Amino acid sequence: MLSMVQARLLQLSAQGLLQPLRRRPRRSDVVATIERMRLLQIDTIHVVARSPYLVLHARLGAYPLGWLDEALAQGQLAECWAHEACFVSATDVSLHRGWLGQRGNHWAQRHAERMHREQRTEMDALLDGIRVSGPVRAADFVRQEGSGAATPGWWSWKPEKRWLEAWFALGELMVARRENFQRVYDLAANVLARLDPSFDTAAATLSAADLRQRFILDSVRALGVTQAGWIADYYRLKPAVTERELAPLLARGDLLSVPVQDWKVPGYVHRDHAEVLERARRGRLRATHTVLLSPFDPLVWDRARALAMFGFEYTIECYTPAARRRYGYFVLPILHRGRLIGRLDAKAHRSEGVFEVKALFLEPDVVPDTGLVQAVATAIMVTARWHGTPEVRLGRTQPVTLAKMLRAAWRAGI
């Protein structure tokens, strides 16, 4: 049986968050990290760095942000709808293309299909224009006067942006590259032709049952150890994955059944992690990493899993009215040596070179000893420098005494 501590360490090992990278990051690490996680969720909020860059930073350290954009433009990565809008490796694109017909329950697919029914003429004309003129950005289309100011959300976008996104969801368009994080849309055939490695036509024609099984196995591999009830969320599979569905994978040896302390249901581990599982059982996994996580990091994007695994109750409050926020707008969980020990609300003021920590909260049972404070202070400073905002401005903390300890650590020259 695994203890909860051992289960956490196994999950962190699978996610690449057990220990910091012990060398300088390389370009190839970006694709390798996404292949390890299977998915890198995209979100456009950039009060700090945009989420996909933060997720990679947590695993790679101070890498150049341009590496992600370059990997997309070079066909080593692609974008698709999966958990949500995500980057995936070129090797997985065929699986997601094959799954397009099974995504009818996803909100993006439903909206896209409805839009095409209601605005078929305009959408078809846009697609024909791209066939003739080549790749486009939403910014290439001017918002009509009197149409109102742009506000967040698909349905408040100008019509051309909605049509581009609908064709993207339907699979006729893909993202060729990004320019200042704006999508450049091209015909799917053109993007698929540039994939490196090449598009796997055999994988794209797998049956729906085989594709679902592949996504289940990839989810378990990415999670390290998981309950059956957490598997479907990773790729937004419907219906939910059950123990009965996993039984053939256990019998075949693709999955291992592992009891976990305090779990009333079995735990599952992918056979690729058999060696790491044994190390976890023997107490030979050691967590040494302290880092700030994106709110959309795979480690925490399933709130029920984060609560069960780490005892960490977490809600993204950027979509909550300011008066009702408990912790702040863009709150980053703090991972410290195998535990989620707190959270901070941050904002990068790039023009001023200031990384503002508006508020920092430790969990009630966390004692801010010298080692923890030093590690957290270092993690904040490393993130700030990576942003090009080396001056850290600290607001309120909980406990209050933590502010003095952090400032002392920074003055000491971290």
Side-chain angles (χ1 to χ4, degrees):
M1 174 178 288
L2 290 179
S3 70
M4 274 306 302
V5 170
Q6 291 168 338
R8 289 174 193 152
L9 296 178
L10 180 53
Q11 188 161 105
L12 290 168
S13 176
Q15 280 285 317
L17 288 168
L18 190 65
Q19 298 177 345
L21 194 65
R22 295 180 179 178
R23 55 168 173 78
R24 294 174 65 87
R26 304 169 185 144
R27 289 176 185 271
S28 59
D29 290 330
V30 168
V31 175
T33 300
I34 295 172
E35 288 178 337
R36 184 175 193 165
M37 298 183 295
R38 313 313 302 179
L39 303 171
L40 177 60
Q41 185 176 341
I42 300 167
D43 191 85
T44 58
I45 297 172
H46 60 108
V47 292
V48 189
R50 290 183 173 91
S51 178
Y53 302 105
L54 271 175
V55 172
L56 292 173
H57 179 260
R59 291 155 175 81
L60 302 180
Y63 75 100
L65 276 72
W67 286 358
L68 177 62
D69 304 333
E70 291 166 9
L72 176 66
Q74 293 165 4
Q76 297 171 312
L77 301 174
E79 295 187 30
C80 68
W81 283 97
H83 178 83
E84 288 295 330
C86 292
F87 292 104
V88 301
S89 69
T91 56
D92 280 358
V93 171
S94 54
L95 302 175
H96 293 281
R97 297 290 294 181
W99 193 249
L100 277 172
Q102 309 302 316
R103 295 185 58 254
N105 289 321
H106 197 289
W107 68 267
Q109 187 79 13
R110 295 198 308 271
H111 286 336
E113 289 173 353
R114 187 180 75 175
M115 182 168 292
H116 192 228
R117 288 194 303 269
E118 296 174 352
Q119 302 179 43
R120 181 183 298 269
T121 300
E122 295 89 344
M123 283 185 62
D124 289 352
L126 177 70
L127 193 61
D128 288 340
I130 294 173
R131 290 193 181 102
V132 173
S133 302
V136 298
R137 303 169 303 158
D140 295 331
F141 301 93
V142 179
R143 179 178 286 272
Q144 297 292 324
E145 289 188 16
S147 62
T151 55
W154 189 333
W155 301 107
S156 63
W157 289 335
K158 56 191 172 185
E160 292 85 358
K161 173 63 173 174
R162 296 199 300 269
W163 300 335
L164 289 167
E165 285 295 313
W167 279 129
F168 173 63
L170 294 171
E172 293 293 333
L173 295 181
M174 293 182 69
V175 179
R177 62 185 183 278
R178 282 181 177 261
E179 297 177 358
N180 296 322
F181 211 69
Q182 294 183 47
R183 282 174 167 164
V184 178
Y185 303 85
D186 197 1
L187 299 177
N190 294 338
V191 177
L192 294 175
R194 295 194 296 268
L195 289 180
D196 178 21
S198 301
F199 185 75
D200 185 349
T201 54
T205 57
L206 290 172
S207 69
D210 286 342
L211 285 169
R212 178 179 167 91
Q213 192 172 98
R214 172 64 183 270
F215 288 139
I216 288 171
L217 289 171
D218 284 350
S219 299
V220 178
R221 185 192 291 111
L223 289 170
V225 60
T226 180
Q227 299 178 10
W230 299 338
I231 296 172
D233 175 75
Y234 211 82
Y235 283 93
R236 297 284 203 249
L237 300 177
K238 290 183 182 294
V241 177
T242 65
E243 292 175 17
R244 182 177 180 180
E245 185 176 12
L246 298 178
L249 301 178
L250 287 171
R252 204 167 68 199
D254 291 334
L255 296 182
L256 309 174
S257 181
V258 181
V260 178
Q261 180 186 8
D262 297 331
W263 287 10
K264 297 179 180 180
V265 296
Y268 295 90
V269 175
H270 195 281
R271 64 181 180 185
D272 288 357
H273 291 317
E275 182 181 345
V276 182
L277 171 61
E278 189 58 29
R279 291 174 59 201
R281 280 178 170 149
R282 295 182 179 183
R284 293 183 178 176
L285 291 184
R286 182 166 173 255
T288 60
H289 204 19
T290 302
V291 72
L292 309 182
L293 300 177
S294 161
F296 306 101
D297 194 290
L299 192 73
V300 297
W301 70 26
D302 183 336
R303 309 311 178 201
R305 171 164 51 84
L307 181 60
M309 287 292 297
F310 293 92
F312 191 72
E313 188 172 352
Y314 183 53
T315 301
I316 298 176
E317 296 183 304
C318 51
Y319 308 115
T320 302
R324 291 168 49 194
R325 290 179 194 141
R326 182 179 177 187
Y327 295 110
Y329 178 77
F330 196 71
V331 175
L332 312 181
I334 305 170
L335 175 68
H336 173 64
R337 298 180 181 176
R339 298 177 61 198
L340 293 172
I341 54 99
R343 63 200 85 201
L344 63 85
D345 183 25
K347 180 176 177 60
H349 302 273
R350 296 169 183 83
S351 61
E352 303 169 34
V354 172
F355 189 83
E356 180 184 9
V357 179
K358 296 182 176 182
L360 193 158
F361 307 86
L362 294 183
E363 294 295 277
D365 62 340
V366 173
V367 177
D369 59 33
T370 302
L372 182 146
V373 172
Q374 288 285 118
V376 171
T378 299
I380 293 171
M381 185 57 72
V382 166
T383 303
R385 289 170 177 163
W386 174 65
H387 276 83
T389 52
E391 180 186 342
V392 177
R393 183 184 299 159
L394 182 61
R396 63 192 177 105
T397 65
Q398 184 177 307
V400 175
T401 54
L402 180 61
K404 182 178 180 180
M405 299 171 73
L406 287 170
R407 291 189 179 105
W410 291 322
R411 281 196 303 270
I414 287 177

